[in-house]
Amino acid sequence: MNVPAERSASAPSRALYQLRLAGLIPPDLVGDIEGLRITEEPAETVLCGELADQSALFGLLARIHGLGLQLLEVRRLTDVDAEDPPFVPDR
């Protein structure tokens, strides 16, 4: 029998995520992805922002899938990554 992992007594904290999508997001779909910074790199679109919890992450992933966009990578960024301009550019 597997023993469930212990859970922290505190509520989960917000986390910073970076998602890379193949191609460029058409301007009419950008409005469907609110609250994240969107940058375009050659042949990719990068979304970066803070999400409340894993439920918010899964909701975003479902929206990306529903929009027919191809997900290439999901990264949870550390504070050090967040200070590095290529990961959190302003748009």
Side-chain angles (χ1 to χ4, degrees):
M1 182 164 112
N2 290 337
V3 177
E6 288 186 35
R7 294 187 181 195
S8 172
S10 64
S13 61
R14 298 177 71 83
L16 185 64
Y17 287 92
Q18 179 188 70
L19 293 86
R20 290 186 173 272
L21 307 174
L24 304 178
I25 298 176
D28 57 324
L29 297 181
V30 170
D32 289 339
I33 302 174
E34 299 173 5
L36 298 174
R37 283 178 284 267
I38 300 173
T39 58
E40 296 173 352
E41 296 181 2
E44 291 184 356
T45 298
V46 180
L47 309 176
C48 190
E50 193 174 291
L51 299 173
D53 53 24
Q54 282 193 345
S55 292
L57 174 61
F58 288 122
L60 177 60
L61 293 173
R63 286 182 23 213
I64 288 169
H65 176 74
L67 293 170
L69 303 172
Q70 181 183 4
L71 180 66
L72 299 175
E73 178 182 22
V74 176
R75 293 182 58 202
R76 183 174 177 175
L77 302 179
T78 64
D79 292 338
V80 173
D81 292 330
E83 294 172 4
D84 188 3
F87 292 114
V88 189
D90 289 327
R91 183 170 190 198

